Amino acid sequence: MPQPAEFLEYPHRAYGMDQDRYDWQPADRRAPVQLKSGARAMAFITIPLEFFPLDPPAKPFKHPGAMVTPYPDLRHYTTRDYGNRVGVFRLLKELESAGLKATFAVNAEVARRYAPLIERIRQGGHEIAAHGVSTAHIHHAGLSEEEERALVAQTRAALPDAVTWMSPARNQSFRTPDLVREAGFTTCLDWESDQRPLPMRTAHGPLSCLPNHYELSDFLILGTRSQSEDEWADQILEAAAQTVAEYASRGAQCFGFTLTPYITGLPFRIEAVTRVLKGLAAMDGLEVATAASVTSAFEGAAP
Amino acid sequence: MTHSDPNLYDFWPYEGRPKIRWPGGKKLAFWIAPNIEYYEFDPPVNPSRSPWPRPNPDITGYSQRDWGNRIGHWRLMDLLDKYGMRGSISLSIGLIDHHPEIIEACVARNWEFFSHGIYNTRYSYGMDEAQERAVLEDSIRSVEKATGQRIRGYLAPALTHTERTLDLIAEHDFWYSCDLFQDDQPQPLKTKTGRLVSMPYSLEVNDVITYSVQGWSPQRYTDILKRHFDQLLKEGEESGTVMCIPLHAYLVSQPHRIRIFEEALKHIAAHSDDVWITTGAEIAEHFRTHYWDESVKDIAARGVATGGTGFAPAR
């Protein structure tokens, strides 16, 4: 059987994007921007705080890091939980020692269970962002609008002050941007299309999408790809140096990466974390800030 | 019905815990856990999991593990002797019958034994309570008969559990479980009876994970072990930490790895002024005697204890 006739029809085959969330804009056809702070580049650090239930659903797909062996998979439950109990405190210490603020993307379930941790992060002056209900609550196109709105509402109720959103597994449905903007979130860490905050069109106003680079994910580099701690650290510092260096031709840009507490919060990785954070803090022309601050810095920038 | 949270322990933020000091004022309790395992040639099939990656008989996997028993353990024993370190053996109890020479060699070195199930090819999935009790009673009885030692630790075979496993080991007067990986310090577990300590054992620096899953080179593993140790020793200044190196002779004793692995032991042994080089049971006993009550009190004071016991939440 051949494919149906529509298979060779291309209704969106035209100049620009095949979706209307934002317009096509190549890097060399836009005016460089200057930040008021004078920084040549900005970096933001996302620290996911996730709850991995012992009995996760298999649909729409298993969240990265979810249970592996048959129930009860105490092995993976506890290695993930290590991040929220132990690893995150190491990361907080290293951030403070480097004088940096990060964005903690918190599952509603984590906020409900581990209130002292959230309080500790707040007191440290870091940003608390919303990260959906839990790793068992992935946003996807199979949900009805009411179902997905309820997930956003549940998250909003647990994190009333958050302005930044990251979806569980950074997965979205076609309507997620509308629903999170409707709930008052103005910055989003799911889409990484640009090297500047990208104002996305939603039914309720613009949503600033920041490039949280998947290729710099610690889960990916250290976990999935099994690269070394030093290779991981080198790549982040390289990204920072490259972004700063491009200021001359492209103006101010930004980039982000994750520190996952159960990955980079392990004792043998702290030396590399220290090198990354101190290296970023000392880098001439680079400003490390929270996601919400990156959005506002670029909003106030002059073309 | 399944549970989303095992409720085996309460949330306990790492920061600001009561200060633990190990005997002699030491900052880090270090123990080394050689897994001495028997994998069956033709194990029965468990519907939840295949024992071998290939259909029985999987002779490459089987013979590699047999190599561990014939060659590997002996090489590792020589190495630990050189540094005066005692092993805490995660033992497939069935090995006592197959290879008593290995047991005798460990007894002669005053090593500790704990249970790792009867065979590493017999999973806990689907066992009823009577069957799980039989495994525990077999474990206690068999080690006592062969060595005179009463076992106090447990690591479920191939890390497979039921909801009642930890309650049953606590009831059988085990002192510690190596089954949970949420911490670098011991913590009281919420079992129905007993004083069962969650003992840091570590998957992250376990040689099966580092060599086989992560695919790290011998040099990288040694480098990781040194970094891991240095960080936990530093943190032990604030409150005593625990580091375990879980090993499998069929991997670490390979001729291309053992000399490079030795560098890690040399590094650790060089810090013996600050490090308590000991066994799992000795750490558990010290914690149960000196820090159990204080820990329970501190956890309660954090205001997030959920009550109830493992797989039996209060609400």
Side-chain angles (χ1 to χ4, degrees), chain B residues 238-250:
Chain B
E238 275 174 47
S239 176
T241 47
V242 175
M243 174 173 172
C244 179
I245 306 183
L247 293 172
H248 299 72
Y250 75 86

Side-chain angles (χ1 to χ4, degrees), chain A residues 42-48 91-92 94-96 98-105 121 126-129 164 166 189 210-213 216 218 232 236-237 240 254-261 264 273-274 276-281 286-294:
Chain A
M42 293 185 84
F44 59 96
I45 303 167
T46 305
I47 301 185
L91 298 180
L92 279 162
E94 294 305 315
L95 285 166
E96 277 150 23
L100 301 180
K101 305 291 183 219
T103 297
F104 288 75
I121 294 164
H126 302 281
E127 180 185 8
I128 303 274
T164 299
M166 182 162 82
L189 304 179
L210 303 195
N212 178 22
H213 289 294
L216 282 182
D218 56 346
W232 167 79
I236 291 173
L237 293 170
C254 65
F255 78 98
F257 63 94
T258 49
L259 292 177
T260 305
T264 20
V273 171
T274 308
V276 164
L277 297 183
K278 297 232 155 112
L280 294 179
L286 181 76
E287 183 183 350
V288 181
T290 63
S293 308
V294 171

Side-chain angles (χ1 to χ4, degrees), chain A residues 54-55 70-72 75 77-78 81-82 85 89-90 93 113-114 120 226-230 267-268, chain B residues 2-6 9-10 14-15 125 163 181-184 187 214 216 220 227-228 235 238:
Chain A
L54 207 44
D55 53 356
Y71 179 89
R75 163 181 170 180
Y77 182 92
T78 56
D81 203 28
Y82 178 96
R85 299 162 57 87
F89 290 97
R90 289 198 183 105
K93 204 175 219 175
R113 288 162 174 272
Y114 308 147
R120 166 70 181 81
S226 214
Q227 294 176 15
S228 76
E229 288 64 35
D230 294 334
F268 60 84
Chain B
T2 58
H3 292 83
S4 64
D5 178 343
Y9 55 83
D10 286 312
Y14 193 50
E15 220 171 52
Y125 307 129
E163 289 193 347
F181 307 99
Q182 77 282 5
D183 223 291
D184 291 314
Q187 177 178 0
Q214 299 273 25
W216 293 346
R220 180 157 177 215
R227 292 184 191 206
H228 199 73
E235 291 173 12
E238 275 174 47

Side-chain angles (χ1 to χ4, degrees), chain A:
Chain A
M1 278 284 284
Q3 297 287 352
E6 310 88 85
F7 200 73
L8 298 184
E9 289 168 13
Y10 313 101
H12 298 288
R13 188 175 177 178
Y15 182 79
M17 308 307 301
D18 61 347
Q19 40 84 14
D20 57 9
R21 289 290 182 190
Y22 54 81
D23 297 326
W24 163 238
Q25 189 188 60
D28 71 340
R29 308 292 160 88
R30 58 186 183 183
V33 295
Q34 280 92 43
L35 300 174
K36 279 183 187 153
S37 68
R40 281 174 274 167
M42 293 185 84
F44 59 96
I45 303 167
T46 305
I47 301 185
L49 298 181
E50 302 161 298
F51 177 67
F52 287 94
L54 207 44
D55 53 356
K59 288 190 173 168
F61 56 85
K62 226 162 63 169
H63 192 289
M67 305 301 102
V68 176
T69 67
Y71 179 89
D73 183 355
L74 295 174
R75 163 181 170 180
H76 289 92
Y77 182 92
T78 56
T79 47
R80 304 313 178 235
D81 203 28
Y82 178 96
N84 294 327
R85 299 162 57 87
V86 180
V88 66
F89 290 97
R90 289 198 183 105
L91 298 180
L92 279 162
K93 204 175 219 175
E94 294 305 315
L95 285 166
E96 277 150 23
S97 147
L100 301 180
K101 305 291 183 219
T103 297
F104 288 75
V106 182
N107 282 165
E109 266 297 298
V110 168
R112 185 179 74 76
R113 288 162 174 272
Y114 308 147
L117 171 58
I118 307 306
E119 190 46 39
R120 166 70 181 81
I121 294 164
R122 262 188 226 291
Q123 279 169 6
H126 302 281
E127 180 185 8
I128 303 274
H131 192 19
V133 176
S134 85
T135 59
H137 297 81
I138 291 175
H139 293 240
H140 62 106
L143 296 176
S144 72
E145 182 166 349
E146 300 75 63
E147 285 169 331
E148 192 177 0
R149 187 174 277 120
L151 291 180
V152 176
Q154 201 180 330
T155 310
R156 171 50 89 197
L159 299 155
D161 306 327
V163 296
T164 299
W165 172 274
M166 182 162 82
S167 300
R170 292 177 61 194
N171 203 71
Q172 294 197 346
S173 75
F174 292 107
R175 55 173 82 90
T176 306
D178 300 318
L179 294 178
V180 301
R181 185 64 184 80
E182 179 185 50
F185 295 100
T186 47
T187 291
C188 179
L189 304 179
D190 297 339
W191 293 63
E192 53 174 294
S193 316
D194 208 327
Q195 202 81 65
R196 291 181 194 167
L198 176 62
M200 174 174 274
R201 282 188 284 267
T202 80
H204 304 275
L207 182 64
S208 167
C209 293
L210 303 195
N212 178 22
H213 289 294
Y214 177 65
E215 292 291 322
L216 282 182
S217 151
D218 56 346
F219 182 93
L220 181 75
I221 293 177
L222 295 163
T224 313
R225 294 185 177 160
S226 214
Q227 294 176 15
S228 76
E229 288 64 35
D230 294 334
E231 287 168 320
W232 167 79
D234 288 346
Q235 289 172 83
I236 291 173
L237 293 170
E238 178 67 23
Q242 174 71 20
T243 315
V244 169
E246 280 181 2
Y247 180 74
S249 54
R250 299 275 182 253
Q253 301 181 103
C254 65
F255 78 98
F257 63 94
T258 49
L259 292 177
T260 305
Y262 69 87
I263 307 270
T264 20
L266 290 169
F268 60 84
R269 295 200 167 120
I270 295 304
E271 190 183 322
V273 171
T274 308
R275 181 156 78 84
V276 164
L277 297 183
K278 297 232 155 112
L280 294 179
M283 195 173 288
D284 200 29
L286 181 76
E287 183 183 350
V288 181
T290 63
S293 308
V294 171
T295 289
S296 22
F298 278 81
E299 273 168 5

